[in-house]
Amino acid sequence: MSTIQLSIEELIFAFYSEGLYEEGISMKETYFPSLQDSELKLMLEFAARSLLAKDMAIEVNNQYRLKENYKSYINILSNAEKTVKASRFDLNSEGEDNISFHFGNGEIYFHKLLHDHQVHYISKYQKEEIMPSIIEFFHISKLPLQDEVLFSLKNEEFEEFLGDMSQNESLSESNVQKWQNKIRSSFSFEFLKDFSNRKGRMDSLLSLSYDSANNPDLIDLYFIIPGETDIWLITRDQNLDLNVKRVNETSFKNLLFSKALLGGVSLVND
């Protein structure tokens, strides 16, 4: 089996079974903050029986344990060497959907949540399966190869731009004139219109590595803005200034498989 699906209770049991008590406790506090110890014990017993029914657990010395061939699916969630997370904002529900790719020990695992975040779907992936999943997740109909910068914005300009685009209900003539004068690109109006339609809300593609203490370090971060005719991609250069492009295969591959830190930025301090 290359895919497993676990309820929250089953995943908590799996964390405890693997000695990942911090992860298990954290999940328990998130979903069942008022659960007493006796209730937790009963919940874990029910979860163990559920996994027994799925043939995913065995009894060892009067204790239930996760079967050996499923342990890597659980450990990768806590001990990945690198994670790439795609996030997509839903304008209708005002919610956010996420998928993740965890890299470790020469293996890749795909992770997403189902049924209102109640079920964890974890699947062992091949490298060539990653790009199609990202294309599908972001509803990309075409993905050109070339990595072409259409225009750039300084980091402080981008902060100002975000403020202008998120504070107004519609794209004002004054903002169009202001930012077209700054951008000076033939693509500026389409970009401004698409960005304004989303009120500054951006999808993202985030790449993290982990140090020896399992603290995350930022490798790279892309912003994605779906538009009427184009899907825009915003990347950062070594000075942390912003380059605006169309989504493209080269940029995606650079983020997915790069190991170089972007400016040494660490998420621990964010």
Side-chain angles (χ1 to χ4, degrees):
M1 182 186 293
S2 61
T3 298
I4 63 173
Q5 295 189 44
L6 301 177
S7 67
I8 295 169
E9 295 86 349
E10 290 171 337
L11 184 56
I12 292 174
F13 169 85
F15 280 139
Y16 276 86
S17 175
E18 286 303 287
L20 301 171
Y21 301 113
E22 184 176 338
E23 289 79 359
I25 292 170
S26 176
M27 181 162 283
K28 178 260 181 188
E29 291 298 323
T30 298
Y31 290 96
F32 311 107
S34 60
L35 203 65
Q36 301 299 313
D37 288 345
S38 59
E39 296 171 319
L40 173 62
K41 182 179 179 181
L42 186 61
M43 185 188 76
L44 293 176
E45 288 178 359
F46 287 151
R49 291 172 187 170
S50 176
L51 290 173
L52 281 171
K54 294 180 178 180
D55 197 28
M56 294 179 61
I58 57 174
E59 186 177 352
V60 180
N61 297 328
N62 297 319
Q63 289 186 323
Y64 296 124
R65 298 292 185 194
L66 199 65
K67 278 193 170 183
E68 190 69 31
N69 49 325
Y70 299 112
K71 291 183 176 182
S72 61
Y73 291 80
I74 305 306
N75 282 282
I76 196 69
L77 300 181
S78 175
N79 297 306
E81 297 167 11
K82 172 181 169 177
T83 294
V84 173
K85 180 179 180 181
S87 300
R88 180 183 66 208
F89 187 81
D90 189 326
L91 292 176
N92 296 319
S93 67
E94 296 288 319
E96 189 177 71
D97 294 321
N98 302 284
I99 60 173
S100 299
F101 304 89
H102 302 287
F103 300 73
N105 298 319
E107 295 183 319
I108 304 168
Y109 290 82
F110 171 72
H111 180 210
K112 66 178 178 180
L113 299 179
L114 305 174
H115 310 300
D116 293 327
H117 295 189
Q118 298 301 303
V119 174
H120 289 254
Y121 176 103
I122 310 167
S123 184
K124 188 177 291 188
Y125 258 36
Q126 299 297 317
K127 182 178 178 180
E128 57 269 17
E129 294 179 274
I130 300 177
M131 193 68 72
S133 293
I134 290 178
I135 290 171
E136 179 183 6
F137 180 74
F138 286 120
H139 306 303
I140 298 171
S141 59
K142 58 180 179 179
L143 189 67
L145 177 63
Q146 66 272 17
D147 178 12
E148 178 189 3
V149 177
L150 303 177
F151 56 89
S152 300
L153 289 169
K154 295 292 186 183
N155 188 50
E156 57 272 18
E157 289 178 323
F158 187 64
E159 295 297 326
E160 182 183 357
F161 176 73
L162 280 177
D164 287 347
M165 293 298 108
S166 60
Q167 291 173 5
N168 299 295
E169 289 298 319
S170 59
L171 184 60
S172 66
E173 185 176 340
S174 60
N175 272 336
V176 170
Q177 184 175 8
K178 171 184 176 179
W179 288 104
Q180 280 191 320
N181 288 336
K182 287 178 177 289
I183 293 172
R184 297 188 180 279
S185 166
S186 58
F187 304 98
S188 60
F189 181 72
E190 288 80 5
F191 176 75
L192 292 172
K193 183 173 63 174
D194 291 336
F195 208 102
S196 175
N197 287 340
R198 289 178 61 87
K199 303 295 186 291
R201 299 182 179 97
M202 299 178 290
D203 299 339
S204 64
L205 197 58
L206 171 71
S207 179
L208 301 169
S209 64
Y210 301 90
D211 63 19
S212 57
N214 208 32
N215 296 315
D217 288 317
L218 178 65
I219 298 176
D220 214 338
L221 171 63
Y222 291 174
F223 298 117
I224 298 169
I225 303 96
E228 290 184 10
T229 58
D230 283 304
I231 299 180
W232 309 97
L233 178 69
I234 301 178
T235 66
R236 293 183 183 270
D237 61 21
Q238 291 299 316
N239 297 318
L240 301 184
D241 293 327
L242 290 301
N243 291 325
V244 178
K245 314 170 183 179
R246 293 186 180 92
V247 292
N248 64 87
E249 184 176 333
T250 299
S251 291
F252 278 0
K253 285 184 174 179
N254 285 342
L255 180 137
L256 285 167
F257 306 115
S258 170
K259 294 182 180 179
L261 291 177
L262 177 61
V265 180
S266 172
L267 289 191
V268 175
N269 298 320
D270 285 358

